[in-house]
């Protein structure tokens, strides 16, 4: 008898939680008349493939094909892309750009496409330390995008550490401390 009451209560609870949800009615839209001075509608062309990375925030460089496909708006920066020395924390400007990228990868023009997140470091420090630091920087970007709904299969986290670093002084070292975000060719998840 007790088992039947428990089962009945569970069924009633499940129906009340899931079976009675209301869907919002679609709001009617009023069509607008085109104005006499309005410009003709532009036909959307597929974005050209760009291979050069562009600085979009203090710590991020994003490939041109992602910028054009997603319409990424660069955050106002105070110079070249850089993480602080020995740091992997994202700035508010970085997060603003990553918000745009996440939207594009989850619901936008690049929905389902995969990206490479390549962590980089300046040449100071040991090779092992720099590889680890680059990995932490890329993981920081991956973690943030993951919290915004980008699936792990869509993100390939790698590090180059200081292998491709070109800096020779403090101002050029700063340009080496970044994460590059690049679209994988023809890769869908």
């Amino acid at each position: 008898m007790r088992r039947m009451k428990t089962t009945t209560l569970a069924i009633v609870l499940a129906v009340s939680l899931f079976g009675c949800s209301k869907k919002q009615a679609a709001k009617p839209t009023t069509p607008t008349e085109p104005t006499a001075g309005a410009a003709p509608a532009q036909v959307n062309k597929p974005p050209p493939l760009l291979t050069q990375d562009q600085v979009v925030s203090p710590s991020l460089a994003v490939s041109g094909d992602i910028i054009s496909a997603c319409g990424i708006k660069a955050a106002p920066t105070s110079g070249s892309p850089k993480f602080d020395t020995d740091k992997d924390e994202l700035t508010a400007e970085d997060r603003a750009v990553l918000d745009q990228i996440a939207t594009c990868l989850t619901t936008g023009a690049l929905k389902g496409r995969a990206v490479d997140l390549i962590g980089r470091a300046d040449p100071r420090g040991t090779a092992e330390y720099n590889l680890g630091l680059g990995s932490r920087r890329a993981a920081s970007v991956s973690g943030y995008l993951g919290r915004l709904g980008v699936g792990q299969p869509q993100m390939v986290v790698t590090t180059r550490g200081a292998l491709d670093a070109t800096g020779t002084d403090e101002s050029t070292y700063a340009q080496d401390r970044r994460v590059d975000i690049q679209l994988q060719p023809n890769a869908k998840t």
Side-chain angles (χ1 to χ4, degrees):
M1 183 68 166
R2 180 173 164 86
R3 177 180 258 175
M4 190 164 76
K5 286 182 182 179
T6 304
T7 304
T8 303
L9 180 61
I11 291 171
V12 169
L13 183 60
V15 168
S16 67
L17 288 177
F18 300 109
C20 298
S21 65
K22 291 183 180 180
K23 291 186 178 182
Q24 292 182 343
K27 294 181 182 179
T29 58
T30 307
T32 58
E33 294 293 321
T35 59
Q42 294 182 348
V43 177
N44 288 339
K45 295 179 183 177
L49 181 62
L50 303 174
T51 57
Q52 185 175 0
D53 289 355
Q54 296 179 23
V55 177
V56 293
S57 73
S59 307
L60 302 173
V62 178
S63 65
D65 47 353
I66 294 174
I67 291 171
S68 63
C70 300
I72 302 295
K73 295 182 180 43
T77 62
S78 58
S80 61
K82 64 185 182 318
F83 280 91
D84 288 334
T85 304
D86 299 325
K87 302 290 182 192
D88 59 21
E89 293 91 20
L90 298 169
T91 66
E93 293 92 350
D94 298 332
R95 290 188 296 275
V97 169
L98 291 173
D99 290 345
Q100 296 174 64
I101 291 172
T103 299
C104 188
L105 291 173
T106 56
T107 61
L110 298 178
K111 181 178 180 179
R113 293 288 304 269
V115 293
D116 289 319
L117 306 174
I118 306 162
R120 300 185 181 272
D122 67 42
R124 298 174 293 180
T126 65
E128 183 178 335
Y129 178 80
N130 286 335
L131 287 170
L133 182 58
S135 181
R136 289 194 308 275
R137 288 174 175 162
S140 178
V141 171
S142 174
Y144 188 80
L145 289 173
R147 287 189 292 279
L148 296 175
V150 179
Q152 283 302 105
Q154 284 181 267
M155 298 179 284
V156 177
V157 176
T158 61
T159 182
R160 295 289 296 161
L163 295 174
D164 302 320
T166 59
T168 57
D169 60 18
E170 188 53 44
S171 65
T172 56
Y173 288 152
Q175 295 173 4
D176 292 328
R177 298 188 302 261
R178 68 184 188 275
V179 172
D180 295 339
I181 303 173
Q182 299 175 344
L183 190 62
Q184 289 189 348
N186 302 323
K188 276 201 163 206
T189 57

